[in-house]
Amino acid sequence: MKVIKIFIIILIFSLNLFTSSYANQSVEDIIKGRKAMFSENYQNGKKISIFLKQKKIEEAKPLIKKISDNYIKLLDYFPDNTKEGFKTEALPSIWENKDEFNALMQKASDDMIKLAKAIDTAEDLKAAQKELMWNNCSSCHNRFRAEH
């Protein structure tokens, strides 16, 4: 019984530390963090293109998974206090249409998982990547990102 109590106390303490550390992230850290993840996704997307062109399917899959995971993480990187500053290119339409934006991030993540499966059998790897990856990038940029 004592072991269970100690475990519960440690668990609560650990969760409290994790929650407070995220809550204490500065606006700058959040904006720079999301920009870094989007940049990483783009860089990985270009690497995936190279791997697929070379028919290196298995080498592309970890990068596809990483992009999918990043889209899920990005759902938490648009709190209300990060609408401006630190050279964000995020448009107000993200917060005005939060459900739509979140659905697009979720769809992008899900489509990356579909891409990982599709490349095993797709005859046209470039078309599969365009449909399941690059089109999601374009959809989001057209609606939610400032031109640059």
Side-chain angles (χ1 to χ4, degrees):
M1 187 65 167
K2 186 176 180 180
V3 173
I4 294 173
K5 285 181 183 179
I6 292 172
F7 175 76
I8 291 172
I9 290 169
I10 291 171
L11 181 64
I12 291 170
F13 181 73
S14 298
L15 288 173
N16 200 14
L17 277 177
F18 174 75
T19 304
S20 63
S21 67
Y22 180 76
N24 289 331
Q25 269 190 305
S26 72
V27 170
E28 179 179 13
D29 290 341
I30 294 169
I31 291 173
K32 287 182 176 180
R34 72 185 181 215
K35 289 173 75 173
M37 272 191 273
F38 281 125
S39 178
E40 179 183 30
N41 281 0
Y42 178 67
Q43 295 303 319
N44 284 336
K46 291 193 311 185
K47 291 175 187 174
I48 291 166
S49 294
I50 293 167
F51 284 139
L52 295 182
K53 188 174 184 177
Q54 297 171 346
K55 307 281 193 232
K56 294 182 177 180
I57 305 298
E58 293 307 313
E59 287 89 336
K61 288 183 179 183
L63 298 176
I64 291 170
K65 174 77 167 98
K66 178 63 177 164
I67 292 172
S68 177
D69 292 345
N70 277 353
Y71 281 125
I72 296 302
K73 289 177 189 172
L74 281 161
L75 291 170
D76 294 327
Y77 275 77
F78 290 87
D80 286 339
N81 65 337
T82 63
K83 293 179 183 179
E84 51 189 41
F86 304 100
K87 299 182 182 175
T88 184
E89 296 174 346
L91 292 175
S93 57
I94 289 174
W95 293 272
E96 295 163 1
N97 304 285
K98 192 69 165 157
D99 290 341
E100 180 186 348
F101 177 78
N102 287 348
L104 186 56
M105 291 292 104
Q106 184 65 56
K107 179 185 180 306
S109 176
D110 295 343
D111 282 355
M112 292 306 293
I113 300 302
K114 290 177 187 175
L115 177 62
K117 294 175 184 171
I119 60 176
D120 286 328
T121 58
E123 289 185 29
D124 187 343
L125 296 173
K126 186 175 181 177
Q129 185 187 19
K130 181 180 181 194
E131 176 189 343
L132 295 169
M133 188 180 80
W134 295 124
N135 285 349
N136 284 320
C137 296
S138 296
S139 294
C140 186
H141 290 187
N142 292 340
R143 181 88 168 99
F144 297 112
R145 183 180 181 193
E147 289 188 33
H148 61 278

